[in-house]
Structure formats: C-alpha cells, structure tokens
Amino acid sequence: MGVYVFFCTITHHSSLSASVPAEKGKAYDNGCDYSIGKWVRDNRAPLYNGTTCKITKSQNCIVNGRPDSNYLHWRWKPSECHLSNFEPNTFLKLINNMHIAFVGDSLSRNQIESLICLLSTASKPKRVRHLGSRKWYFPSHNANLSFYWSPFLVRGVQRKNRGPIYNTMYLDHVNERWARDIDQMDLIVLSFGHWFMVPSIYYEGESIIGCFKCHDLKFNYTDIGIYVAMRKALRTTLNSIIERKVVKGNGNYVIVRTFSPSHFEGGWDKGGTCSKSEPYENGEKKLEEMDAEIRSIEIEEVKNAKSKAEQLGFNLEVLDITKLALLRPDGHAGAYMNPFPFANGIPKYVQNDCVHWCLPGPIDTWNEIFLEIMKKGKNHPHK
C-alpha cells in the first residue's frame, strides 16, 4: 500500500502585490497543471447541503442565514485539461482498505469535512473513537479517514489567551501526536500556516535559534521571520514521514498541496470583512508577496527532496490549489460564521471569517483535484 502526502498552508496577505516568478512557481513537472484556469458559471446543485450532512456550525453558511447562494454555482475550468465532477463511488473504490489522515490546522478540518460530506452521498460513515484524532470509518470499503490537530506539524505549544502570548516551536522534532501513527497511514494530507503568523519562539535541539514578532515581548532574540521556520518545519515533516515509512519497507507516493490564501478586506484582527459575492476574474487579483513566497518555499522543498525520496521508493509531487483559491473571495463564511448575524439589525461589530470556506463551497473543488491525483497515482510505478 502506497502513502500519499498532501500539504496545505494558510497565510494572511501582505499589502504588496507580486506575481510568482515563473521559475519558482511551477508545481507540476508532467501532466495537467490544474492550477491554471478560470471559474465559470455552473447551475448544477452541489452534491450535499447543510441539512443532509453534518457540517461545523461556523462553515454552514446557508443554514446560518447567508442570503445569497451565487457562490455555490461556479466550477473550476482548467486551461489544459478537463476536471470532472467529484465521483464519490470512484473515490471510495480508490481508498478501499486505506487510512487517509488529514494533519494540521482548522483548514485541514475544513477540507476533510468537505470530503466526508461528498463521500456520504454514496456511503454513510461511522464515527470512531480514537486517541489523538477525529476518525470516520466507511464499512462499505473498509476505509478510515482521520483528522489530527497539529497546526505546526512539528512539536510545539500554541499561545493561549491565559498563559504565554507566543507560540513555542521545536523545528527539528516532528509532532508525535500524529507522527506516532505514521506507519498506520496510507495517505497523509498536511496543512499549516496561520499559527506561524503570531509571535513565536523557535528552537532547534535545546537552543533558541530565533523568533517572530518577539521584540514586544522584551526578549533579546533575533527576529528571523516566518519563512525560515516554515521551511524547517516542512523539511522536518517530510523527512520524518520518509524515514519512518522506509524503515517499514513500503514504497510511497507523496504529494504536497500548497496554501489557501485568506481574503480579509482590512486587517484580519482589525474588523476585516470579505463581502464580495463573485469570484475574481483572471488577472484581477495577483498573488501577494507573502503568499507567493510561502508557496515557492513549499514547491522548492518538494523539489529538493524529490531525488532522494525517489531513491527510497517515494515519488514527490506538488498539488497547487493556491491560484484557484485566491480567485474565490466570495466563498468564505464571512459574517455568516455565526447564525443570522443581522437578525436584529446591523450591530456595531460583526466578526468575519475570511479564511475558512463555506460548505458546500469552493473547497469541494480541492477534493475534485484530489480525486484526479488519486486516479493518476493508482498505476504509479512507485505505488
């Protein structure tokens, strides 16, 4: 049984705009590049809705009173090939006797909930008690899907409202909360990013190597930003998966999925909103500097590990959803992360969620591409 690893990280936009350099922005060496295309109108109804599937309340936008449903009627049309609608029975057959693990932050949970809802239209899963993860079991295909909360991927302690106001990360140690189960995972979906955007202190071994936004904390450490830390965390994670699976003697197929940008109009922590009701058109929105840099880091790390990984029975690839996600500012929960926020008029302050995606919504497209990758990987020589 082969192992697939998908990767996703989420960031806030910087104020500067830049296109991704061509030499650093290509995520696919061969085959169709699903990241190039446009959103086109599609009047077909989604496979599921907020009453037929159990969705986290903050992503259940229609049930929460969102008055427009226009965001549900777009499909992604790649320029180089055709992207089929999601076929739940096909996906279930491909994961027969497999364990798929989503590892990361709340965007990881957002995607697995989309996938569970899509699959539930063909086969109903059972919730399973499991220490360290939320788990669903599909008896019809002896398939397990699980979600492990691990926002840094590596070992760390999250900042808290009551307690340290900074993260602590150990960039050279994978988080054993999920990594202890690596040999039980046939496919791994990784997602991280947002939790790197707040004050953090970074360790390697027993030594502090730097920090991010720590000067306000009156620490005398060097601020090394987020890029070094994110690169090290990804490298540690990929190396840990490869090394632990190679010990078991398994050939593996590894795919890294890139980040999903947020769409706050205004600061995310200063009352920012996301009020657009339609996708951006091609050329209307460029990848901003921070998002472009992080995406490039992810692609570079996969390329750097590719030759070594293939020698050990791994095939490393990248699945890039960044551009198609960037063009969908209309697909977030916005004010409808809470039920009927304007039922009693317009309040002075309305909390908005411009990071996570309404379900159903644009994130379902990620799972359509996920399925295409699964189809291609079925006959891969390294599997």
Side-chain angles (χ1 to χ4, degrees), residues 130-204:
H130 179 260
L131 182 64
S133 78
R134 296 171 60 187
K135 199 167 189 176
W136 295 261
Y137 175 62
F138 287 86
S140 61
H141 293 78
N142 190 33
N144 289 283
L145 279 78
S146 60
F147 166 65
Y148 290 80
W149 174 259
S150 183
F152 312 131
L153 302 182
V154 293
R155 195 171 80 199
V157 179
Q158 299 158 222
R159 74 169 187 171
K160 299 178 180 179
N161 292 331
R162 295 181 179 179
I165 59 173
Y166 55 87
N167 299 323
T168 302
M169 301 182 207
Y170 299 85
L171 300 175
D172 55 345
H173 292 284
V174 72
N175 183 4
E176 292 297 333
R177 177 184 175 91
W178 66 271
R180 65 191 177 202
D181 294 337
I182 280 178
D183 62 348
Q184 302 170 25
M185 301 171 182
D186 300 302
L187 187 155
I188 305 172
V189 183
L190 303 173
S191 172
F192 82 142
H194 270 303
W195 282 84
F196 283 72
M197 306 301 157
V198 297
S200 302
I201 296 175
Y202 308 125
Y203 283 78
E204 281 190 338

Side-chain angles (χ1 to χ4, degrees), residues 92-285:
L92 286 166
K93 288 177 183 176
L94 289 170
I95 66 169
N96 196 56
N97 298 320
M98 291 178 65
H99 174 201
I100 300 178
F102 284 70
V103 178
D105 54 18
S106 52
L107 254 292
S108 179
R109 184 184 66 227
N110 202 181
Q111 186 179 359
I112 194 174
E113 287 187 349
S114 162
L115 183 57
I116 292 294
C117 284
L118 289 165
L119 296 177
S120 294
T121 62
S123 178
K124 296 299 180 184
K126 296 180 179 179
R127 284 298 301 271
V128 178
R129 288 185 178 274
H130 179 260
L131 182 64
S133 78
R134 296 171 60 187
K135 199 167 189 176
W136 295 261
Y137 175 62
F138 287 86
S140 61
H141 293 78
N142 190 33
N144 289 283
L145 279 78
S146 60
F147 166 65
Y148 290 80
W149 174 259
S150 183
F152 312 131
L153 302 182
V154 293
R155 195 171 80 199
V157 179
Q158 299 158 222
R159 74 169 187 171
K160 299 178 180 179
N161 292 331
R162 295 181 179 179
I165 59 173
Y166 55 87
N167 299 323
T168 302
M169 301 182 207
Y170 299 85
L171 300 175
D172 55 345
H173 292 284
V174 72
N175 183 4
E176 292 297 333
R177 177 184 175 91
W178 66 271
R180 65 191 177 202
D181 294 337
I182 280 178
D183 62 348
Q184 302 170 25
M185 301 171 182
D186 300 302
L187 187 155
I188 305 172
V189 183
L190 303 173
S191 172
F192 82 142
H194 270 303
W195 282 84
F196 283 72
M197 306 301 157
V198 297
S200 302
I201 296 175
Y202 308 125
Y203 283 78
E204 281 190 338
E206 300 300 319
S207 302
I208 294 174
I209 65 167
C211 65
F212 174 62
K213 290 186 175 179
C214 59
H215 298 309
D216 292 342
L217 306 177
K218 297 182 173 57
F219 291 140
N220 190 26
Y221 306 139
T222 301
D223 192 326
I224 62 174
I226 61 171
Y227 301 140
V228 170
M230 296 183 80
R231 188 184 293 276
K232 287 178 178 289
L234 175 55
R235 187 174 298 180
T236 294
T237 300
L238 292 177
N239 286 341
S240 296
I241 294 170
I242 293 170
E243 290 166 6
R244 296 186 189 205
K245 296 299 287 188
V246 165
V247 168
K248 299 293 182 179
N250 295 332
N252 298 275
Y253 185 28
V254 181
I255 300 176
V256 172
R257 178 169 60 77
T258 59
F259 67 86
S260 166
S262 59
H263 293 90
F264 285 98
E265 299 164 10
W268 67 272
D269 57 347
K270 296 180 176 62
T273 62
C274 41
S275 56
K276 284 185 67 69
S277 59
E278 291 190 352
Y280 290 118
E281 295 181 0
N282 265 351
E284 185 180 354
K285 183 72 171 178

Side-chain angles (χ1 to χ4, degrees), residues 35 73 79 205 209 248 262 305 317 331 353:
S35 74
H73 299 295
S79 300
I209 65 167
K248 299 293 182 179
S262 59
E317 301 293 346
D353 182 352

Side-chain angles (χ1 to χ4, degrees), residues 11-75:
T11 76
H12 300 295
H13 287 176
S14 67
S15 59
L16 300 176
S17 180
S19 59
V20 182
E23 69 275 10
K24 297 174 71 175
K26 186 179 179 183
Y28 297 86
D29 293 328
N30 298 295
C32 177
D33 185 343
Y34 290 102
S35 74
I36 300 174
K38 61 182 180 180
W39 290 97
V40 298
R41 289 289 300 176
D42 184 356
N43 291 322
R44 285 171 292 186
L47 286 180
Y48 66 94
N49 58 52
T51 57
T52 63
C53 185
K54 187 175 182 180
I55 297 170
T56 296
K57 291 181 180 179
S58 57
Q59 272 88 70
N60 205 344
C61 303
I62 295 294
V63 170
N64 284 348
R66 179 167 173 165
D68 68 300
S69 60
N70 185 50
Y71 71 96
L72 296 173
H73 299 295
W74 298 89
R75 65 180 173 85

